[in-house]
């Protein structure tokens, strides 16, 4: 056990560790090739030390739903949602890179953060399945989430998503027929709806007086209130991690055309009652701040502003990785970087 923990807490530079790799490894759930690279010792170590939850196995036996909510909350607050892992090695993205960046720098994509969350839950004793999600206005699946089964009773289902821009800090029971109860985070109010093709539609309340874009998709609940569609999750599509690992490796190698936001740098930071998102490409660096009332403020930043903000608010974000992102002009898609 101690040998595994010593290996786990090593602090080799990520660039050195992977610089000799010619072919990347696929680490997929449910395949004989290689499961997610996390041992039981590491899972318990992360839960107790990184998340600060002591004796997770005892808590799991006592109240599995309470522990599930605690893990969802702490993972969301401790890991910043970001495309930073895609910049580590040009054209390569895999579970080992995501794991190292998450644990050392507290940065993760939906793939890396939700994948390690799933692996932790599996080792504790939960039964889980990775699922795909599709962002509003998109024609392809670009989000990875998790379903956890049999938490409160045989056949129960909970959505656990520890890495999305919508900042979900609890497990969502899916035992409703058509629409869920209303949930509140620090910056949004949510409701979930059962959709067609065994889907789950994640919506936020339409702010009063807010003008929505013409292409906005609205859902009206049983009381007549309107909700803005954010994300659709497919509850029974198989091999979600296989698809997402292949898809994102094609993205970083420039083999598929996607939403430009997936190709550039973004970083979400939760500050008290505000959510800050930094979006950067080769044209501009923008900071959007959403407060508890849903009000969004936007301002441009310089590279020096970005360095200063990250130094103050995300001290785990290494200077070398940030400079690599800046040098790449905030684009991790290899063919575009070398033009």
């Amino acid at each position: 056990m101690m040998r595994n923990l010593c290996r786990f807490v090593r602090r080799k530079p990520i660039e050195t560790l992977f610089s000799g790799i010619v072919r990347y490894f696929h680490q997929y759930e449910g395949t004989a090739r290689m499961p997610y690279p996390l041992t039981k010792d590491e899972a318990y170590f992360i839960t107790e030390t990184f998340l600060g939850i002591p004796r997770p196995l005892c808590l799991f036996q006592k109240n599995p739903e309470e522990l599930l909510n605690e893990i969802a909350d702490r993972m969301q607050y401790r890991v910043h949602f970001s495309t930073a892992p895609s910049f580590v090695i040009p054209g390569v993205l895999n579970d080992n890179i995501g794991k190292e960046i998450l644990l050392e720098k507290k940065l993760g994509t939906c793939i890396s953060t939700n994948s390690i969350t799933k692996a932790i839950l599996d080792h504790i004793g939960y039964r889980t399945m990775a699922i795909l999600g599709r962002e509003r206005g998109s024609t392809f699946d670009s989000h990875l989430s998790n379903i956890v089964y049999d938490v409160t009773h045989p056949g129960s289902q909970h959505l656990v998503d520890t890495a999305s821009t919508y900042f979900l800090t609890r497990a969502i029971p899916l035992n409703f027929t058509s629409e869920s109860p209303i949930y509140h985070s620090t910056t949004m109010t949510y409701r979930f709806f059962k959709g067609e093709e065994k889907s789950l539609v994640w919506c936020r309340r339409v702010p009063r007086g807010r003008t929505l874009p013409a292409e906005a998709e609205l859902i009206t609940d049983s009381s007549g209130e309107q909700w803005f569609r954010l994300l659709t999750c497919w509850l029974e599509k198989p091999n979600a991690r296989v698809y997402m690992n292949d898809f994102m490796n094609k993205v970083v190698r420039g083999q598929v055309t996607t939403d430009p936001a997936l190709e550039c740098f973004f970083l979400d930071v939760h500050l008290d009652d505000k959510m800050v998102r930094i979006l950067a490409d080769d044209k501009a660096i923008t900071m959007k701040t959403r407060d508890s009332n849903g009000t969004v403020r936007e301002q441009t930043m310089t590279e020096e502003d970005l360095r200063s903000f990250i130094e103050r608010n995300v001290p785990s974000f290494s200077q070398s990785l940030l400079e690599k992102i800046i040098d790449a002009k905030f684009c991790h898609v290899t063919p575009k970087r070398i033009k």
Side-chain angles (χ1 to χ4, degrees):
M1 175 177 177
M2 289 306 298
R3 184 170 64 254
N4 288 335
L5 291 183
C6 288
R7 188 184 304 119
F8 166 67
V9 298
R10 70 191 185 280
R11 286 297 179 263
K12 291 182 180 179
I14 186 70
E15 293 85 354
T16 300
L17 185 62
F18 290 100
S19 60
I21 292 179
V22 177
R23 295 178 60 84
Y24 69 90
F25 291 104
H26 291 288
Q27 287 101 32
Y28 299 150
E29 71 182 35
T31 71
R33 280 185 288 174
M34 190 180 292
Y36 186 86
L38 191 76
T39 67
K40 279 189 176 183
D41 289 342
E42 289 176 340
Y44 302 155
F45 183 89
I46 292 168
T47 307
E48 294 185 338
T49 305
F50 186 81
L51 298 180
I53 303 174
R55 300 190 301 167
L57 295 183
C58 294
L59 295 175
F60 174 70
Q61 294 297 327
K62 182 179 179 181
N63 191 329
E65 187 175 33
E66 181 178 329
L67 175 61
L68 190 64
N69 282 324
E70 195 68 27
I71 291 173
D73 178 82
R74 298 199 184 195
M75 186 67 81
Q76 189 72 261
Y77 274 99
R78 280 163 172 72
V79 180
H80 301 289
F81 189 44
S82 177
T83 52
S86 302
F87 290 84
V88 174
I89 301 177
V92 177
L93 188 63
N94 60 39
D95 288 333
N96 279 312
I97 293 175
K99 174 184 172 184
E100 293 280 342
I101 294 297
L102 185 147
L103 296 175
E104 291 185 0
K105 307 186 190 327
K106 299 182 181 179
L107 302 166
T109 62
C110 66
I111 301 175
S112 58
T113 307
N114 277 319
S115 290
I116 199 171
T117 299
K118 180 184 185 304
I120 290 169
L121 295 175
D122 288 340
H123 281 306
I124 289 174
Y126 294 98
R127 190 167 72 87
T128 70
M129 184 179 78
I131 61 171
L132 295 172
R134 183 171 299 182
E135 298 282 351
R136 65 183 184 273
S138 179
T139 58
F140 52 85
D141 299 329
S142 61
H143 184 70
L144 188 74
S145 189
N146 291 306
I147 294 292
V148 184
Y149 298 94
D150 307 328
V151 176
T152 53
H153 59 272
S156 71
Q157 296 182 6
H158 286 68
L159 174 72
V160 176
D161 196 314
T162 56
S164 79
T165 187
Y166 312 124
F167 207 72
L168 190 65
T169 58
R170 58 158 296 153
I172 301 298
L174 303 184
N175 59 347
F176 55 90
T177 302
S178 59
E179 57 188 40
S180 75
I182 296 173
Y183 298 98
H184 302 277
S185 74
T186 52
T187 59
M188 287 188 187
T189 299
Y190 302 112
R191 181 162 241 174
F192 296 82
F193 297 85
K194 295 285 180 69
E196 298 177 349
E197 301 180 37
K198 296 182 179 179
S199 64
L200 180 70
V201 185
W202 187 344
C203 299
R204 71 175 174 88
R205 174 176 280 156
V206 176
R208 293 181 180 178
R210 181 72 55 83
T211 301
L212 296 174
E215 66 274 15
E217 298 179 38
L218 300 180
I219 294 179
T220 302
D221 67 15
S222 57
S223 67
E225 185 174 11
Q226 288 190 316
W227 299 80
F228 178 43
R229 188 181 81 84
L230 300 172
L231 180 74
T232 299
C233 294
W234 314 109
L235 299 178
E236 294 189 7
K237 275 191 179 181
N239 301 318
R241 277 187 16 90
V242 175
Y243 167 86
M244 283 301 296
N245 274 277
D246 279 338
F247 174 76
M248 286 308 301
N249 271 283
K250 290 176 182 177
V251 169
V252 298
R253 294 195 297 266
Q255 295 173 342
V256 296
T257 301
T258 66
D259 183 341
L262 287 176
E263 302 178 352
C264 298
F265 173 69
F266 68 75
L267 170 68
D268 286 353
V269 181
H270 189 268
L271 299 176
D272 298 323
D273 63 343
K274 298 179 177 62
M275 175 62 72
V276 177
R277 164 160 281 200
I278 294 174
L279 293 160
D281 57 22
D282 60 346
K283 299 180 179 62
I285 306 172
T286 304
M287 181 169 70
K288 295 183 178 181
T289 304
R290 181 188 297 273
D291 63 21
S292 57
N293 296 320
T295 303
V296 178
R297 295 177 175 83
E298 184 174 318
Q299 67 184 79
T300 58
M301 304 177 77
T302 65
E303 290 180 4
E304 195 54 44
D305 292 334
L306 176 62
R307 291 186 181 97
S308 178
F309 176 88
I310 289 179
E311 183 179 358
R312 290 194 317 271
N313 298 294
V314 195
S316 58
F317 199 127
S318 72
Q319 184 69 25
S320 61
L321 178 57
L322 178 58
E323 293 306 320
K324 178 178 283 191
I325 292 170
I326 293 173
D327 290 343
K329 298 181 180 178
F330 303 104
C331 180
H332 61 73
V333 178
T334 307
K336 294 187 178 183
R337 290 171 61 171
I338 63 178
K339 282 183 179 180

